[in-house]
Amino acid sequence: MQGYLCLSALCGLLSLCAAGLLPFPFKSDSVLDIPTSHRHARQTARVAVHYLNYLAASPNNLVILREVTKATVKGVSGIGHKYYIEFTTDDFKTGRKVGTCFGTVFFQSHKQRPAVSVNCTNNKSQKQVNEDDYNLYKEIKDQSKPITANEIPDSFGHVDPSHEPLRDLALAGSSLVMWEKSTENRHYNMAQIKSVKQWARRDDFIDFDYNILLHEIPTEEIVPCHIRVMWYPGVPLKVKYECFPVLHSEGSEEGSTGSQSEEGSAFYGNF
């Protein structure tokens, strides 16, 4: 009877792996090559991209994943899975290739967010990025009244050119959220800005309050989050957020998150 139960459990695990709901079946402390087209390879690379976009702290230096060129995963006994990823990136605005990246993404069972280490080549001019950031900063600071907007993009997928900087700042700030919330089986993209308003400040920072929707993959759920982003060119982003996860269907690979909110922050000094 015991042997039958063990066999049933093994068959169930293998079926989940085959369906792409669990990482690959391999022994702890072994290393396995992953097809670069596999969901775990591409989504893990996207976690690294979120990390890069948050650290860049610039609405003019955002990148997207172009292609995964190599991926392996190592099981670390009792801790989790470490992915070794090589990939290329494109500029978010122009779609042109900007670099090649090498890094690790470590999903640890007892850690809230994956540990990421990544190095990239970048053929984009940092001087131009700095100039574009300064010009955008000055343009926003020179506004006669605080900026507000809704539905970016709109129901037709259109983003008004005047709203693009708001979207880009939201993407930079939400990259922290998407990095921190990612797990080995769940990943996120920013789907829409429901609303944004600017807070008036007496210091030099630009301060935006966003209500955004994240697209959760592979559940296809939409997760609402409130994010506050403070930006000044050339310094780390100040981000504070709260998300309100929806109930996941029974039997999902990580169970239900319930109705509790999730909070996080990465900031220096006070709001």
PDB file of all heavy atoms in Angstrom, residues 201-215:
ATOM      1  N   ARG A 201       5.412  68.845  -3.936  1.00  0.00           N
ATOM      2  CA  ARG A 201       6.479  68.684  -2.946  1.00  0.00           C
ATOM      3  C   ARG A 201       7.312  69.957  -2.856  1.00  0.00           C
ATOM      4  O   ARG A 201       7.401  70.720  -3.814  1.00  0.00           O
ATOM      5  CB  ARG A 201       7.394  67.511  -3.326  1.00  0.00           C
ATOM      6  CG  ARG A 201       6.694  66.165  -3.369  1.00  0.00           C
ATOM      7  CD  ARG A 201       7.708  65.071  -3.623  1.00  0.00           C
ATOM      8  NE  ARG A 201       8.688  64.981  -2.556  1.00  0.00           N
ATOM      9  CZ  ARG A 201       8.532  64.223  -1.458  1.00  0.00           C
ATOM     10  NH1 ARG A 201       7.430  63.521  -1.302  1.00  0.00           N
ATOM     11  NH2 ARG A 201       9.474  64.177  -0.535  1.00  0.00           N
ATOM     12  N   ARG A 202       7.951  70.107  -1.707  1.00  0.00           N
ATOM     13  CA  ARG A 202       8.818  71.263  -1.513  1.00  0.00           C
ATOM     14  C   ARG A 202      10.275  70.945  -1.816  1.00  0.00           C
ATOM     15  O   ARG A 202      11.092  71.851  -1.930  1.00  0.00           O
ATOM     16  CB  ARG A 202       8.692  71.772  -0.077  1.00  0.00           C
ATOM     17  CG  ARG A 202       7.310  72.322   0.255  1.00  0.00           C
ATOM     18  CD  ARG A 202       7.244  72.839   1.677  1.00  0.00           C
ATOM     19  NE  ARG A 202       5.937  73.404   1.990  1.00  0.00           N
ATOM     20  CZ  ARG A 202       5.598  73.902   3.167  1.00  0.00           C
ATOM     21  NH1 ARG A 202       6.500  73.916   4.166  1.00  0.00           N
ATOM     22  NH2 ARG A 202       4.385  74.398   3.371  1.00  0.00           N
ATOM     23  N   ASP A 203      10.592  69.643  -1.914  1.00  0.00           N
ATOM     24  CA  ASP A 203      11.975  69.293  -2.245  1.00  0.00           C
ATOM     25  C   ASP A 203      12.086  69.073  -3.749  1.00  0.00           C
ATOM     26  O   ASP A 203      11.186  69.416  -4.525  1.00  0.00           O
ATOM     27  CB  ASP A 203      12.423  68.056  -1.455  1.00  0.00           C
ATOM     28  CG  ASP A 203      11.556  66.839  -1.736  1.00  0.00           C
ATOM     29  OD1 ASP A 203      10.840  66.816  -2.756  1.00  0.00           O
ATOM     30  OD2 ASP A 203      11.597  65.886  -0.939  1.00  0.00           O
ATOM     31  N   ASP A 204      13.190  68.472  -4.184  1.00  0.00           N
ATOM     32  CA  ASP A 204      13.457  68.352  -5.612  1.00  0.00           C
ATOM     33  C   ASP A 204      12.836  67.113  -6.267  1.00  0.00           C
ATOM     34  O   ASP A 204      12.843  66.994  -7.496  1.00  0.00           O
ATOM     35  CB  ASP A 204      14.971  68.322  -5.855  1.00  0.00           C
ATOM     36  CG  ASP A 204      15.639  69.650  -5.539  1.00  0.00           C
ATOM     37  OD1 ASP A 204      14.949  70.688  -5.662  1.00  0.00           O
ATOM     38  OD2 ASP A 204      16.823  69.651  -5.169  1.00  0.00           O
ATOM     39  N   PHE A 205      12.303  66.203  -5.480  1.00  0.00           N
ATOM     40  CA  PHE A 205      11.772  64.972  -6.056  1.00  0.00           C
ATOM     41  C   PHE A 205      10.439  65.199  -6.767  1.00  0.00           C
ATOM     42  O   PHE A 205       9.650  66.080  -6.395  1.00  0.00           O
ATOM     43  CB  PHE A 205      11.584  63.905  -4.980  1.00  0.00           C
ATOM     44  CG  PHE A 205      12.848  63.164  -4.640  1.00  0.00           C
ATOM     45  CD1 PHE A 205      13.695  63.638  -3.645  1.00  0.00           C
ATOM     46  CD2 PHE A 205      13.195  62.006  -5.324  1.00  0.00           C
ATOM     47  CE1 PHE A 205      14.858  62.965  -3.330  1.00  0.00           C
ATOM     48  CE2 PHE A 205      14.362  61.331  -5.012  1.00  0.00           C
ATOM     49  CZ  PHE A 205      15.197  61.800  -4.018  1.00  0.00           C
ATOM     50  N   ILE A 206      10.197  64.378  -7.784  1.00  0.00           N
ATOM     51  CA  ILE A 206       8.892  64.278  -8.420  1.00  0.00           C
ATOM     52  C   ILE A 206       8.182  63.090  -7.799  1.00  0.00           C
ATOM     53  O   ILE A 206       8.761  62.006  -7.682  1.00  0.00           O
ATOM     54  CB  ILE A 206       9.033  64.115  -9.946  1.00  0.00           C
ATOM     55  CG1 ILE A 206       9.527  65.427 -10.552  1.00  0.00           C
ATOM     56  CG2 ILE A 206       7.717  63.680 -10.579  1.00  0.00           C
ATOM     57  CD1 ILE A 206       9.865  65.329 -12.018  1.00  0.00           C
ATOM     58  N   ASP A 207       6.921  63.267  -7.427  1.00  0.00           N
ATOM     59  CA  ASP A 207       6.203  62.285  -6.614  1.00  0.00           C
ATOM     60  C   ASP A 207       4.878  61.924  -7.286  1.00  0.00           C
ATOM     61  O   ASP A 207       4.005  62.785  -7.460  1.00  0.00           O
ATOM     62  CB  ASP A 207       5.957  62.909  -5.231  1.00  0.00           C
ATOM     63  CG  ASP A 207       5.444  61.904  -4.221  1.00  0.00           C
ATOM     64  OD1 ASP A 207       5.062  60.795  -4.613  1.00  0.00           O
ATOM     65  OD2 ASP A 207       5.421  62.257  -3.023  1.00  0.00           O
ATOM     66  N   PHE A 208       4.734  60.646  -7.681  1.00  0.00           N
ATOM     67  CA  PHE A 208       3.510  60.194  -8.335  1.00  0.00           C
ATOM     68  C   PHE A 208       2.857  59.061  -7.561  1.00  0.00           C
ATOM     69  O   PHE A 208       3.530  58.169  -7.042  1.00  0.00           O
ATOM     70  CB  PHE A 208       3.801  59.720  -9.761  1.00  0.00           C
ATOM     71  CG  PHE A 208       3.979  60.831 -10.759  1.00  0.00           C
ATOM     72  CD1 PHE A 208       5.247  61.161 -11.222  1.00  0.00           C
ATOM     73  CD2 PHE A 208       2.894  61.550 -11.226  1.00  0.00           C
ATOM     74  CE1 PHE A 208       5.423  62.184 -12.142  1.00  0.00           C
ATOM     75  CE2 PHE A 208       3.062  62.583 -12.143  1.00  0.00           C
ATOM     76  CZ  PHE A 208       4.328  62.893 -12.603  1.00  0.00           C
ATOM     77  N   ASP A 209       1.543  59.120  -7.527  1.00  0.00           N
ATOM     78  CA  ASP A 209       0.711  58.101  -6.892  1.00  0.00           C
ATOM     79  C   ASP A 209      -0.009  57.325  -7.995  1.00  0.00           C
ATOM     80  O   ASP A 209      -0.786  57.918  -8.761  1.00  0.00           O
ATOM     81  CB  ASP A 209      -0.312  58.803  -5.995  1.00  0.00           C
ATOM     82  CG  ASP A 209      -0.624  58.033  -4.741  1.00  0.00           C
ATOM     83  OD1 ASP A 209       0.293  57.416  -4.189  1.00  0.00           O
ATOM     84  OD2 ASP A 209      -1.794  58.052  -4.325  1.00  0.00           O
ATOM     85  N   TYR A 210       0.256  56.018  -8.096  1.00  0.00           N
ATOM     86  CA  TYR A 210      -0.321  55.197  -9.167  1.00  0.00           C
ATOM     87  C   TYR A 210      -1.236  54.135  -8.599  1.00  0.00           C
ATOM     88  O   TYR A 210      -0.936  53.504  -7.577  1.00  0.00           O
ATOM     89  CB  TYR A 210       0.783  54.467  -9.935  1.00  0.00           C
ATOM     90  CG  TYR A 210       1.658  55.320 -10.809  1.00  0.00           C
ATOM     91  CD1 TYR A 210       2.902  55.758 -10.363  1.00  0.00           C
ATOM     92  CD2 TYR A 210       1.274  55.651 -12.110  1.00  0.00           C
ATOM     93  CE1 TYR A 210       3.735  56.512 -11.175  1.00  0.00           C
ATOM     94  CE2 TYR A 210       2.097  56.411 -12.925  1.00  0.00           C
ATOM     95  CZ  TYR A 210       3.329  56.833 -12.452  1.00  0.00           C
ATOM     96  OH  TYR A 210       4.151  57.578 -13.261  1.00  0.00           O
ATOM     97  N   ASN A 211      -2.329  53.880  -9.300  1.00  0.00           N
ATOM     98  CA  ASN A 211      -3.107  52.661  -9.135  1.00  0.00           C
ATOM     99  C   ASN A 211      -2.961  51.871 -10.428  1.00  0.00           C
ATOM    100  O   ASN A 211      -3.366  52.357 -11.500  1.00  0.00           O
ATOM    101  CB  ASN A 211      -4.578  52.975  -8.855  1.00  0.00           C
ATOM    102  CG  ASN A 211      -4.783  53.530  -7.469  1.00  0.00           C
ATOM    103  OD1 ASN A 211      -4.457  52.881  -6.482  1.00  0.00           O
ATOM    104  ND2 ASN A 211      -5.316  54.751  -7.374  1.00  0.00           N
ATOM    105  N   ILE A 212      -2.337  50.712 -10.337  1.00  0.00           N
ATOM    106  CA  ILE A 212      -2.023  49.947 -11.545  1.00  0.00           C
ATOM    107  C   ILE A 212      -2.612  48.542 -11.452  1.00  0.00           C
ATOM    108  O   ILE A 212      -2.998  48.066 -10.383  1.00  0.00           O
ATOM    109  CB  ILE A 212      -0.508  49.853 -11.785  1.00  0.00           C
ATOM    110  CG1 ILE A 212       0.160  48.978 -10.724  1.00  0.00           C
ATOM    111  CG2 ILE A 212       0.137  51.225 -11.848  1.00  0.00           C
ATOM    112  CD1 ILE A 212       1.568  48.573 -11.098  1.00  0.00           C
ATOM    113  N   LEU A 213      -2.650  47.887 -12.611  1.00  0.00           N
ATOM    114  CA  LEU A 213      -3.065  46.491 -12.701  1.00  0.00           C
ATOM    115  C   LEU A 213      -1.888  45.679 -13.222  1.00  0.00           C
ATOM    116  O   LEU A 213      -1.272  46.036 -14.238  1.00  0.00           O
ATOM    117  CB  LEU A 213      -4.256  46.340 -13.647  1.00  0.00           C
ATOM    118  CG  LEU A 213      -5.526  47.098 -13.270  1.00  0.00           C
ATOM    119  CD1 LEU A 213      -6.596  46.891 -14.337  1.00  0.00           C
ATOM    120  CD2 LEU A 213      -6.037  46.690 -11.899  1.00  0.00           C
ATOM    121  N   LEU A 214      -1.565  44.602 -12.508  1.00  0.00           N
ATOM    122  CA  LEU A 214      -0.536  43.676 -12.952  1.00  0.00           C
ATOM    123  C   LEU A 214      -1.190  42.436 -13.549  1.00  0.00           C
ATOM    124  O   LEU A 214      -2.189  41.933 -13.022  1.00  0.00           O
ATOM    125  CB  LEU A 214       0.369  43.261 -11.790  1.00  0.00           C
ATOM    126  CG  LEU A 214       1.184  44.348 -11.100  1.00  0.00           C
ATOM    127  CD1 LEU A 214       2.045  43.726 -10.003  1.00  0.00           C
ATOM    128  CD2 LEU A 214       2.054  45.113 -12.089  1.00  0.00           C
ATOM    129  N   HIS A 215      -0.612  41.946 -14.619  1.00  0.00           N
ATOM    130  CA  HIS A 215      -1.067  40.704 -15.237  1.00  0.00           C
ATOM    131  C   HIS A 215      -0.214  39.571 -14.684  1.00  0.00           C
ATOM    132  O   HIS A 215       0.999  39.563 -14.857  1.00  0.00           O
ATOM    133  CB  HIS A 215      -0.909  40.794 -16.759  1.00  0.00           C
ATOM    134  CG  HIS A 215      -1.307  39.557 -17.482  1.00  0.00           C
ATOM    135  ND1 HIS A 215      -0.812  39.227 -18.734  1.00  0.00           N
ATOM    136  CD2 HIS A 215      -2.160  38.552 -17.149  1.00  0.00           C
ATOM    137  CE1 HIS A 215      -1.329  38.077 -19.122  1.00  0.00           C
ATOM    138  NE2 HIS A 215      -2.147  37.646 -18.187  1.00  0.00           N
TER     139      HIS A 215
END
